[in-house]
Amino acid sequence: MKNLRKRVGRFLLMFAMLFAGILLPQNTKAVWAADGSMTVHFLDVGQGLSVLVESEGQTLLYDGGPRSASSFVVSYLQERQISEIDYLISSHYDEDHVSGLIGCLNAFDVANVIGADYVHDSSLYDSFMDGVAAQGLTVQHPVVGTEYEFGSGKFTILSPQNISKESNANSVAIRLTNGENSFIFTGDADYNSEADMVSSGIDLSCDVLSVGHHGSATSTSWDFLQATVPEYAVISCGAGNMYGHPHEETMEKLSDMGIQVYRTDEQGTIVVSSDGNSLSWNMDPCNDYTSGDGKSPAGESETQGFAGEQYDDQGESNDTDSIEADSAQNSQEEMVWISATGSKYHSIPDCGNMNPDKAYQEPLSQAEAQGYEACKKCF
């Protein structure tokens, strides 16, 4: 009965909008036109993941965080006057992703539920399925490549291509687009799942990547980063978590590629808005590439540039003798590529482990003197 009322209500709304579009003058039809806006909220749920997306009156919730954050997620949606969730997506059924979704199933009307097609041996999985059934729904298991219209944009299913015995590997990943802007959410998808996504042939480029598995070393492979080439990475993890998330290996990759970083463990809930052309954030990136156990990428804290040189107002060096000496030496010395924010030197500017748009060349000896180390991929 509840679903019937929702369908009738949607029909009446569509009829009213069509009627208004027919009767209103041509220059007022823009009132009903899509404004192209989409807002993505990376909720601070501690050691877990929950992403809320709003666009033109529609709502998508990707994961709900752990049990401890369930009431927070429900309250956050209620404060935004959300009463219905159009798409509720469970990446997989681990506690730190699915628990908050159970609370949302109890608190809101839900139109569609999407999840991975496997059975998780836990009482939380049973509670989630009971909540879906109470809504008169079943969990949809779309195949890779399935597209859904959402607000002013759409989202595409990227994984899982196959069902594994490992829960994380079964994560439902999506690519969300709004005009020229794009986002990728991967849950806890591992290297193997990322490899399947890369080989699928689906466009994986994105502006914003929600880093897999809270920044664990089991996710965010070089090949996946090279395929996605995000400008921004958002890491959802808890401050001082017992797993050491995000891991040093992951942060080193992000640093090497010059990807700007946001972190919920340091910055709380992070919100980004898209108008279809550009992104607007509620805060600046923290760009803290330190791992959860306090380790930093090698050379990150080293001072870049020539030490002890004096520069004029145009930025040119006034040390003529040093310039001539360096020039003679550099003409016979191997040159390497450096990323603006990385800690490695590279043999080429586009090896996939750095942002080629921010790369510059300098002599190998100079790079080593500044603390840079050789990129493991291109050297």
Side-chain angles (χ1 to χ4, degrees), residues 240-287:
N241 67 84
M242 62 183 293
Y243 309 101
H245 293 156
H247 288 163
E248 181 183 9
E249 299 92 326
T250 300
M251 302 313 292
E252 184 174 18
K253 294 171 188 175
L254 299 178
S255 176
D256 281 354
M257 287 188 68
I259 298 170
Q260 300 193 66
V261 169
Y262 286 89
R263 298 173 54 155
T264 62
D265 61 334
E266 297 184 2
Q267 299 172 281
T269 295
I270 298 158
V271 183
V272 55
S273 297
S274 160
D275 61 6
N277 294 302
S278 60
L279 300 176
S280 177
W281 299 80
N282 68 331
M283 63 184 74
D284 294 328
C286 66
N287 289 337

Side-chain angles (χ1 to χ4, degrees), residues 256 336-337 339 344-348 351 353-354 375 378-379:
D256 281 354
V336 294
W337 289 89
S339 173
K344 300 289 189 294
Y345 60 79
H346 308 260
S347 63
I348 55 177
C351 74
N353 293 0
M354 63 187 295
C375 169
C378 62
F379 272 98

Side-chain angles (χ1 to χ4, degrees), residues 62-73:
Y62 183 92
D63 284 348
R67 182 184 290 106
S68 59
S70 180
S71 59
F72 163 71
V73 174

Side-chain angles (χ1 to χ4, degrees), residues 27-49:
N27 62 355
T28 62
K29 282 189 177 181
V31 173
W32 301 101
D35 61 9
S37 64
M38 182 178 288
T39 303
V40 181
H41 310 249
F42 297 92
L43 304 184
D44 180 14
V45 293
Q47 184 61 22
L49 176 67

Side-chain angles (χ1 to χ4, degrees), residues 22 51 57 96 122 146 162 165 201 206 235 243 246 254 273 338 343 360:
I22 293 174
V51 185
D96 56 329
S122 69
T146 303
N162 303 291
K165 294 181 180 179
C206 65
I235 301 172
Y243 309 101
L254 299 178
S273 297
I338 304 293
S343 60
Y360 60 92

Side-chain angles (χ1 to χ4, degrees), residues 100-324:
L101 295 181
I102 299 171
C104 289
L105 282 165
N106 293 328
F108 306 100
D109 288 336
V110 177
N112 299 278
V113 179
I114 295 173
D117 189 10
Y118 76 105
V119 175
H120 195 278
D121 185 17
S122 69
S123 59
L124 280 173
Y125 172 82
D126 295 335
S127 296
F128 176 74
M129 289 301 175
D130 290 343
V132 173
Q135 293 268 358
L137 303 171
T138 57
V139 179
Q140 302 172 36
H141 309 302
V143 299
V144 171
T146 303
E147 293 187 350
Y148 294 84
E149 298 295 323
F150 172 72
S152 57
K154 65 179 181 180
F155 65 92
T156 305
I157 303 297
L158 302 179
S159 72
Q161 194 171 99
N162 303 291
I163 296 300
S164 167
K165 294 181 180 179
E166 298 295 329
S167 181
N168 288 345
N170 295 327
S171 292
V172 175
I174 68 170
R175 180 175 185 261
L176 174 70
T177 60
N178 183 50
E180 298 298 317
N181 300 136
S182 53
F183 308 78
I184 287 182
F185 312 142
T186 64
D188 282 353
D190 62 9
Y191 275 9
N192 292 327
S193 182
E194 291 177 347
D196 288 339
M197 289 186 243
V198 171
S199 64
S200 70
I202 298 174
D203 181 13
L204 298 181
S205 62
C206 65
D207 297 302
V208 181
L209 173 65
S210 178
V211 176
H213 201 183
H214 322 289
S216 167
T218 62
S219 303
T220 320
S221 63
W222 281 120
D223 288 343
F224 189 66
L225 277 179
Q226 189 171 3
T228 54
V229 199
E231 182 176 358
Y232 303 97
V234 180
I235 301 172
S236 180
C237 61
N241 67 84
M242 62 183 293
Y243 309 101
H245 293 156
H247 288 163
E248 181 183 9
E249 299 92 326
T250 300
M251 302 313 292
E252 184 174 18
K253 294 171 188 175
L254 299 178
S255 176
D256 281 354
M257 287 188 68
I259 298 170
Q260 300 193 66
V261 169
Y262 286 89
R263 298 173 54 155
T264 62
D265 61 334
E266 297 184 2
Q267 299 172 281
T269 295
I270 298 158
V271 183
V272 55
S273 297
S274 160
D275 61 6
N277 294 302
S278 60
L279 300 176
S280 177
W281 299 80
N282 68 331
M283 63 184 74
D284 294 328
C286 66
N287 289 337
D288 181 358
Y289 299 97
T290 305
S291 65
D293 56 9
K295 296 180 181 179
S296 300
E300 185 182 72
S301 62
E302 297 291 335
T303 302
Q304 297 186 14
F306 295 94
E309 286 189 2
Q310 300 297 318
Y311 293 85
D312 61 21
D313 294 338
Q314 284 72 44
E316 300 294 335
S317 172
N318 291 326
D319 191 342
T320 306
D321 293 337
S322 296
I323 293 176
E324 293 177 351

Side-chain angles (χ1 to χ4, degrees), residues 48-103:
L49 176 67
S50 184
V51 185
L52 168 67
V53 187
E54 297 176 278
S55 181
E56 297 183 348
Q58 288 195 305
T59 301
L60 180 154
L61 183 63
Y62 183 92
D63 284 348
R67 182 184 290 106
S68 59
S70 180
S71 59
F72 163 71
V73 174
V74 170
S75 297
Y76 192 94
L77 269 62
Q78 290 174 337
E79 289 172 1
R80 299 198 61 78
Q81 300 182 340
I82 292 172
S83 60
E84 179 174 352
I85 300 172
D86 296 277
Y87 293 98
L88 184 146
I89 302 176
S90 175
S91 68
H92 62 305
Y93 306 122
D94 285 359
E95 187 272 339
D96 56 329
H97 294 255
V98 75
S99 290
L101 295 181
I102 299 171

